[in-house]
Amino acid sequence: KNQKVKQNATFGMAWSRSARSLRSTACCTFAAARGGEEEQLALLRQIASDVKSRPPANPIPANFHLSSGDAGSVTRREPLHELGKLLYQRFADEVAKQLSPTEVAAEPSMARIARVHSGEQPVNVNHVSGVCYQAHSVLANHQDGPKALYTMSVALGCACDFVVGARPATSAGRFKNLRSGAPATLRMESGDAIFFDGGSIPHAIPTIHKGTAPPLWHQALPK
């Protein structure tokens, strides 16, 4: 990995299946929070050797696998799954504090996270993946699939614009479970996390803000 990639990149990590502020749009509700620098540094050191990137001329972000499988599987890295569970629990606790039962019941993603808080439906993190965005990378607007997929995503590195809600331009990018409306843009700084239904809610990353990675970024990555 060259120095340019290390200085001007964002890693997006997603914990699939199963907060400090709650943000609402016309089409969805999602929760956002930020982790401390020590947590970010520890996570970066865990994943640095696994990151894959594309050639500078290619604007498509590079996906990479981090962990999956049942407990004890050779493809499973338990600390990453435990971190995913911790993030879900943090969001669940904040949702319970900040939203009324009526507000929670009105939004499927919040109702799901509320069942984590109550213990009715504990978190079952079965897949952890990453995406490497370089300064020129663009993630096109899309849904993750034809059904609800509740996902916890964390940004590490340079800040990025995370856009949710815009209706995909072509039918090829739309599924029947689509929930779209007035788009909302959230600038994600390093350590920010978002919980939302990526299967139903269209989302995109049109911009990486070059040179905004915190100092810990350079401490964690190999020279």
Side-chain angles (χ1 to χ4, degrees), residues 143 145-149 174-179 197 199-201:
Q143 293 171 253
K147 60 183 180 180
L149 179 64
R174 297 194 295 264
F175 295 98
K176 291 182 179 180
N177 58 316
L178 171 68
R179 298 177 62 202
D197 176 6
S200 305
I201 307 301

Side-chain angles (χ1 to χ4, degrees), residues 149-163:
L149 179 64
Y150 299 118
T151 301
M152 184 73 66
S153 294
V154 176
L156 297 170
C158 292
C160 66
D161 289 340
F162 190 86
V163 181

